[in-house]
Amino acid sequence: MKYLLALDHGTTSSRAVVYDCELNPVASARREFAQYFPKPGWVEHDAMEIWESVVGTGREAVAASGIAATDILAVGITNQRETVVLWDRETGRPVHRAIVWQDRRTEDYLAALRECGKESFIQDRTGLLADPYFSASKLHWMLREIPDGHKRAANGDLAAGTVDSWLIYKLTNGREHVTDVSNASRTMLMNLQTGTWDTEMLSLFDIPEALLPKITPTSSLLGASAAEWFGVPLSITACVGDQQAALFGQLCTSPGMVKCTYGTGCFLLKFLGENIARSHNRLLSTVAWKLGESPIQYALEGSVFMGGAAIQWLRDGLGILRSAPEVNELAGRVQTSGGVILVPAFTGLGAPYWDASARGMLIGMTRGTTSAHIARATLEAIAFQVTDLVTAMDKDSNHPMQLLRVDGGASASDLLMQCQADLCGVQVERPENIETTALGAAMLAGLGAGVWKSAGELHDQPNRMTLFTPAITAKDRRGRLKTWKRAVRRAQHWEQSL
């Protein structure tokens, strides 16, 4: 029997899963890695630690599976998007810490571009908004920060890319410098229609094209790992951004299907097929995937910056949890949040607000407020933010959402999922396997390796679902959403209340 290896690198941990060719998980391994916050609003990772965590978990998962590396047919890579790595081509070592998608250091620079009227130009070319979330401004900042950055980049001495590029470069010992079209679409440097680097965007951000990887399909032969990493060379046949991987893992392959992943952030994607939809409600047009020589497929996306990360804040910042899953037991001790509202704008607000200056706010507390009320308010905050995305997506569509497929670690919370169904007013469907990011990478790797001839063959895979149905009245829903909107406005104008 042959197997597939999924290397799933997220914002806070790396995970590897070995699947058989019927997509049953055989073994897995996981490692957390350090988060660095050198200044308020700055978030960085050590790219060498990322690499070591990925190759380390890959080896551990293969060893735990009990199979020989020669039995691995293909490798699929999925990764946190927008995070940028800059490295020296000769040494293969980073010249600066990776700047993470959550980082807000380039807000002033992008605000100046917006004031000059550049945002509509950027959105037309890339489908994205002029926000620090995306890669281009981070890379612009790094090239200005390191000595002779632009000169070294133009001379071909440096290489840059999102984390997928970095991992493939390291896995192939520098032979391949590539990225797939889904990751490239998140850089703010790729032309959304052509799937190639856009010369005018490169000029706008002063980024030499010699620095960047080749853009490839999502599912195809991208290279082979060096034998030293797993004992034998392994074919890399898929590379995909983590949210697109989850969309594929949920088999949202028919236009109009929607999923939301509850990870460090929350990411709502609607599959569109070959058509690009331009949002009028500050959502993003993005690539879903490109399967071999088939046309590029697109999606509409909304992003929440603080999803599961808000639960981590309860654990690491407030110290009211020993582990993240404890939030469910703690929040379940009370029937309501007791009027407490959390707006977790710790790194600004994502879609549909795109407000980098907003700050977190915890309001409505009394002497009777307990840690249980705060825990419940945190789960509700996640659901409120996703509901904002659903509302914006419905406004962009002639067909309001009827079903929301969910996945990711925080989706394991029944309390959160019921709250989500209540606030959205739609049914929420959760698969038995909520780790669909790694699953999607394995599926795409199998397609790239010829295990399946088309995505249609994957729909025969069994997957049991849990369904959550709205249980509050429309009037109650409207009232709760109105209160949430007032709280968001206060978080956006927090300085005025000091």
Side-chain angles (χ1 to χ4, degrees):
M1 180 179 287
K2 293 295 183 179
Y3 298 84
L4 301 167
L5 174 62
L7 301 177
D8 177 5
H9 168 70
T11 307
T12 58
S13 66
S14 294
R15 185 167 173 264
V17 185
V18 176
Y19 293 91
D20 64 26
C21 286
E22 293 180 350
L23 296 175
N24 299 305
V26 177
S28 65
R30 179 179 175 273
R31 289 187 194 177
E32 290 192 1
F33 53 87
Q35 311 288 307
Y36 299 94
F37 309 100
K39 293 183 181 181
W42 291 28
V43 189
E44 297 178 350
H45 290 159
D46 182 332
M48 287 304 295
E49 189 178 359
I50 287 175
W51 157 242
E52 290 161 2
S53 70
V54 169
V55 74
T57 53
R59 287 168 162 170
E60 290 169 22
V62 173
S65 71
I67 67 172
T70 52
D71 291 328
I72 297 175
L73 182 63
V75 176
I77 295 171
T78 184
N79 55 284
Q80 57 164 312
R81 307 169 304 169
E82 298 95 17
T83 297
V84 176
V85 184
L86 180 64
W87 67 93
D88 186 290
R89 287 185 188 269
E90 183 176 352
T91 66
R93 297 193 66 85
V95 297
H96 193 280
R97 277 187 189 154
I99 301 182
V100 180
W101 59 272
Q102 297 165 314
D103 191 281
R104 312 303 288 173
R105 75 185 67 185
T106 60
E107 169 54 26
D108 290 345
Y109 169 67
L110 287 165
L113 290 182
R114 292 194 297 269
E115 289 171 7
C116 292
K118 295 293 185 182
E119 184 163 69
S120 59
F121 167 71
I122 290 171
Q123 188 171 20
D124 180 65
R125 290 300 181 99
T126 70
L128 310 178
L129 299 172
D131 189 86
Y133 177 29
F134 307 105
S135 310
S137 63
K138 304 177 195 301
L139 187 51
H140 172 87
W141 185 94
M142 293 169 88
L143 289 176
R144 292 168 62 90
E145 181 70 9
I146 67 169
D148 297 322
H150 282 93
K151 180 180 178 181
R152 293 166 68 188
N155 289 343
D157 298 331
L158 299 177
T162 42
V163 176
D164 57 305
S165 295
W166 165 244
L167 294 177
I168 293 174
Y169 192 89
K170 295 298 285 183
L171 283 167
T172 62
N173 283 353
R175 290 192 302 274
E176 304 293 344
H177 185 207
V178 298
T179 188
D180 97 291
V181 69
S182 74
N183 278 294
S185 75
R186 310 300 296 184
T187 62
M188 208 186 284
L189 298 172
M190 191 195 85
N191 187 295
L192 192 62
Q193 291 183 307
T194 66
T196 59
W197 298 124
D198 189 291
T199 55
E200 292 192 61
M201 295 304 299
L202 295 175
S203 176
L204 178 65
F205 288 99
D206 195 17
I207 294 173
E209 189 169 353
L211 187 69
L212 299 175
K214 174 186 175 183
I215 300 176
T216 72
T218 302
S219 181
S220 65
L221 181 60
L222 305 175
S225 66
E228 66 186 277
W229 304 122
F230 297 100
V232 296
L234 299 179
S235 296
I236 303 169
T237 60
C239 169
V240 62
D242 54 5
Q243 300 314 314
Q244 288 92 334
L247 187 69
F248 198 85
Q250 287 268 35
L251 292 175
C252 292
T253 56
S254 296
M257 297 183 74
V258 184
K259 73 88 195 175
C260 186
T261 297
Y262 297 75
T264 301
C266 296
F267 303 90
L268 186 77
L269 273 77
K270 174 187 279 189
F271 182 68
L272 302 174
E274 295 182 31
N275 298 314
I276 301 174
R278 301 292 184 176
S279 175
H280 300 289
N281 293 279
R282 299 183 67 76
L283 300 178
L284 307 174
S285 303
T286 194
V287 168
W289 48 71
K290 185 180 189 305
L291 306 181
E293 298 305 313
S294 298
I296 294 174
Q297 307 289 296
Y298 295 94
L300 193 64
E301 176 173 339
S303 308
V304 166
F305 296 154
M306 295 294 293
I311 299 172
Q312 291 175 327
W313 172 71
L314 295 181
R315 182 192 67 188
D316 303 333
L318 296 189
I320 63 175
L321 303 174
R322 289 174 298 179
S323 66
E326 288 183 7
V327 69
N328 299 300
E329 188 277 329
L330 182 58
R333 295 178 189 175
V334 292
Q335 294 300 308
T336 72
S337 68
V340 176
I341 299 176
L342 171 67
V343 183
F346 302 129
T347 57
L349 288 169
Y353 305 101
W354 297 109
D355 188 344
S357 64
R359 288 295 176 265
M361 184 167 289
L362 184 63
I363 57 177
M365 292 177 287
T366 69
R367 283 289 299 272
T369 298
T370 68
S371 59
H373 293 105
I374 295 173
R376 193 174 187 101
T378 301
L379 292 181
E380 291 178 351
I382 296 171
F384 274 125
Q385 291 177 101
V386 171
T387 302
D388 286 339
L389 300 182
V390 170
T391 301
M393 200 164 276
D394 280 349
K395 288 179 180 178
D396 275 330
S397 172
N398 294 323
H399 304 286
M401 191 182 306
Q402 300 297 319
L403 177 69
L404 177 61
R405 291 186 171 183
V406 299
D407 55 65
S411 72
S413 169
D414 288 356
L415 180 56
L416 173 57
M417 293 300 98
Q418 184 59 55
C419 184
Q420 191 67 80
D422 290 344
L423 292 176
C424 286
V426 301
Q427 289 189 323
V428 171
E429 187 179 79
R430 183 180 67 197
E432 183 178 31
N433 176 10
I434 61 173
E435 299 295 345
T436 56
T437 304
L439 180 63
M443 289 175 169
L444 288 162
L447 281 170
V451 176
W452 306 284
K453 297 190 186 312
S454 70
E457 294 183 29
L458 292 162
H459 286 270
D460 295 331
Q461 301 293 329
N463 196 0
R464 289 190 292 273
M465 302 287 183
T466 301
L467 196 64
F468 298 87
T469 301
I472 65 173
T473 65
K475 181 179 179 181
D476 189 12
R477 181 179 303 116
R478 288 193 298 269
R480 294 180 67 184
L481 292 173
K482 185 177 180 180
T483 301
W484 163 253
K485 289 288 190 181
R486 288 201 301 266
V488 169
R489 286 194 292 272
R490 292 184 66 177
Q492 291 181 284
H493 304 289
W494 61 278
E495 290 180 302
Q496 298 176 13
S497 61
L498 295 179

